[in-house]
Amino acid sequence: MVTIKDVAKYANVSIATVSRALNKDDNKVKPETREKVLHAVKELGFYPNAIARSLHHKKTKMIGLIIQDISNPYYPRIVRGVEDAAQKHGYTVVLANVYRSRQRTQNYLKIFREKRLDGVIICGGGIVKNAEQDNFFKENIMSTVVIGKPLVDDLHSVQVNNFLAAKDACEYLINCGHKKIVTITGPKESTTANDRLEGYKAALMKYGIEPKEEWIIQGDFQYESGYNAIDYFPGIGKDKITAVFSQNDVMAIGVIKALRERGFEIPKDISVIGFDDTLFTASHGLSSVAVPVYDLGKTAMTILADLLAGNDVPLITTLPTKLIIRETC
Amino acid sequence: MVTIKDVAKYANVSIATVSRALNKDDNKVKPETREKVLHAVKELGFYPNAIARSLHHKKTKMIGLIIQDISNPYYPRIVRGVEDAAQKHGYTVVLANVYRSRQRTQNYLKIFREKRLDGVIICGGGIVKNAEQDNFFKENIMSTVVIGKPLVDDLHSVQVNNFLAAKDACEYLINCGHKKIVTITGPKESTTANDRLEGYKAALMKYGIEPKEEWIIQGDFQYESGYNAIDYFPGIGKDKITAVFSQNDVMAIGVIKALRERGFEIPKDISVIGFDDTLFTASHGLSSVAVPVYDLGKTAMTILADLLAGNDVPLITTLPTKLIIRETC
DNA sequence: CTGAAAGCGCTTACAG
DNA sequence: CTGAAAGCGCTTACAG
């Protein structure tokens, strides 16, 4: 591997000069000298060692991105948003799927710290309150931006108002004449799921409908839990249940599949509304609450870059959602 | 940031000793001394600087993963496979979406080189033959594994036999009685798409059917191109077209949507078969050729780790596909 | 078993 | 405008 020394020798200058010639902003080097250096660089195929540079600058120009599971269609666009913005600001992203495991999260946080990443973006329920992680963030070892609700105070975040969005969606159903509405929830630890659940309840209450225990069906944001939810429905039909508010799309697609297999027509027999509006909801004709996932990612990265540049950034940034009505309700 | 020096001072030993105590494999350090060091480490919250370590070892324990577009459902599981295997082998992955852009690919390759990543996995059509990239691989600057068909010789790869898989799928259609089959292709530069196209042709020819020009509809692996493909169909019905072989699922879901909107029933009026068997094909009841994407990723990373460990690895590893018949044909 | 020293490949204050 | 030198935070051969 060719080093700065080789270039210096080849160009007949000191390594200090090579360094200066390469860091453009520094115009304290004679044009001819720079030419010589640039020529040597090309000739030898020199690629400056970013590791050595990092050691000096104490910056790696890399950030970590912690997500729960890239194969959940909610995440890819977030990743894209983060990466596009990262690229724009000169950062490179290290990806970490933690599958909601505290262990894996901790492990990656440790690796990120050792590798001296400049910052980290944490997506969703990763940050379970817990001594060691708490320390990690409290000590402010790494600039951090959370996508979603941070469980640790003082962390910057970009969010969506899940409570209101869920409430709106459910109110829409109620205004369509539905009075008995089931909801399929996300995992218990998820604050996102929790907010959506509260929004559901609030909508019902607003219209004087008492949300029954049996209407709240525990899901986990996975397809199967939507598909199986039907087994827990307290019956389907005018006097039973006429609509389902699925707290994400994947589960909504699951219920729809199960519903159709049992001969129910949608929305004739029962309405379904999802959440997230991820890829393919359109092809399923699924009504859903659109979450601007790409922008969540992009904004999070932009905020992180700002933070790293020493700029002031508001603690919470909220992005708007949008109810999209298609064919399932 | 606390350094090895601080730990040494705190523990009253030299930094060499701290280093030795921390690199467990080195048992040339007295147990009591190690205790002292470990205590200091905990007390001070010391996290060894991997950057400094890398500078010495000339290894970063990071690999780059170049994919075309994470929001295409084909990729997330590959990424997962790569990351899981990477984690197992002690590597961390840097993600790069290049959107089939040669420019972006080149740019990332440069960054990877400067950051001294240990290796790189390239997914799909990224490697367009081209002087500079050619050099990159020829000079063997970074260990490389390609998922798909490498356009540069001598590169390790893990693949699937797209030709055979496509041929099998089309033969299946023919054996079901179809004689007039349309195919929707991927982008022209994609070798994957090309192999699938050849497989399609071969199947038809084998049964004495001459594949007509008009049966081959140019797509680009995106939903829209599937949805719009119908406009180029030479008519639908017994004497026109009775089946479509879509070269990926996303486009298949697009055609199905378009077909249904125009009142056609599937598979009664027309059969559809996709390729890849990515997420949600099941919920659409789409028949498809299952590509073991997770395993492609996992295997690629395993091979890369082997390469980096100096082991011998066969140049090409081929993984099996599987035709999965569901409701659309 | 432990320490002093050299080295990894850069950058930058300090002289000149 | 340019060079010699110190320093970033580690690891490891070399002595002892």
Side-chain angles (χ1 to χ4, degrees), chain A residues 187-207:
Chain A
K188 286 211 187 75
E189 334 77 73
S190 162
T191 52
T192 299
N194 200 55
D195 289 348
R196 291 177 187 176
L197 178 59
E198 290 309 318
Y200 158 85
K201 286 183 188 166
L204 266 55
M205 309 267 265
K206 177 172 167 189
Y207 287 85

Side-chain angles (χ1 to χ4, degrees), chain B residues 1-196:
Chain B
M1 190 100 273
V2 16
T3 76
I4 199 173
K5 265 191 191 169
D6 303 315
V7 178
K9 196 173 298 172
Y10 192 99
N12 241 295
V13 295
S14 73
I15 61 167
T17 299
V18 174
S19 179
R20 287 195 195 96
L22 257 28
N23 298 162
K24 323 230 165 178
D25 39 68
D26 184 316
N27 54 2
K28 300 165 204 151
V29 49
K30 218 200 313 183
E32 300 102 88
T33 314
R34 164 162 292 141
E35 278 317 310
K36 271 202 305 187
V37 172
L38 260 30
H39 180 251
V41 165
K42 180 145 288 176
E43 209 59 31
L44 300 176
F46 170 64
Y47 283 78
N49 185 332
I51 297 296
R53 187 176 277 166
S54 290
L55 190 58
H56 181 271
H57 282 133
K58 293 163 183 300
K59 274 183 201 156
T60 52
K61 281 295 181 178
M62 297 199 291
I63 65 108
L65 174 57
I66 295 189
I67 60 177
Q68 303 310 315
D69 182 359
I70 187 70
S71 57
N72 174 329
Y74 181 79
Y75 292 104
R77 280 168 184 270
I78 290 194
V79 174
R80 209 146 85 96
V82 170
E83 205 212 308
D84 285 353
Q87 165 117 340
K88 203 162 84 193
H89 292 273
Y91 289 94
T92 270
V93 1
V94 173
L95 188 73
N97 281 290
V98 298
Y99 308 113
R100 295 192 173 278
S101 147
R102 179 184 299 198
Q103 240 266 79
R104 269 183 82 112
T105 306
Q106 214 106 255
N107 185 239
Y108 263 117
L109 250 20
K110 174 159 172 275
I111 292 175
F112 286 179
R113 188 190 285 211
E114 293 190 349
K115 293 203 186 293
R116 300 298 193 263
L117 303 197
D118 294 338
V120 52
I121 293 176
I122 301 192
C123 212
I127 346 168
V128 184
K129 210 159 188 158
N130 143 329
E132 201 172 323
Q133 283 180 20
D134 215 41
N135 259 351
F136 181 86
F137 298 113
K138 282 273 167 61
E139 295 168 11
N140 234 328
I141 278 158
M142 225 176 279
S143 299
T144 306
V145 175
V146 173
I147 294 179
K149 245 187 189 164
L151 288 186
V152 176
D153 297 337
D154 300 341
L155 248 36
H156 287 262
S157 68
V158 23
Q159 330 180 168
V160 121
N161 193 324
N162 283 294
F163 172 82
L164 268 189
K167 183 156 166 277
D168 285 352
C170 293
E171 284 195 40
Y172 177 85
L173 287 174
I174 295 171
N175 287 327
C176 287
H178 298 284
K179 288 189 160 40
K180 299 176 186 215
I181 306 170
V182 134
T183 188
I184 309 173
T185 73
K188 286 211 189 71
E189 334 78 72
S190 163
T191 52
T192 299
N194 200 57
D195 289 347
R196 291 176 187 177

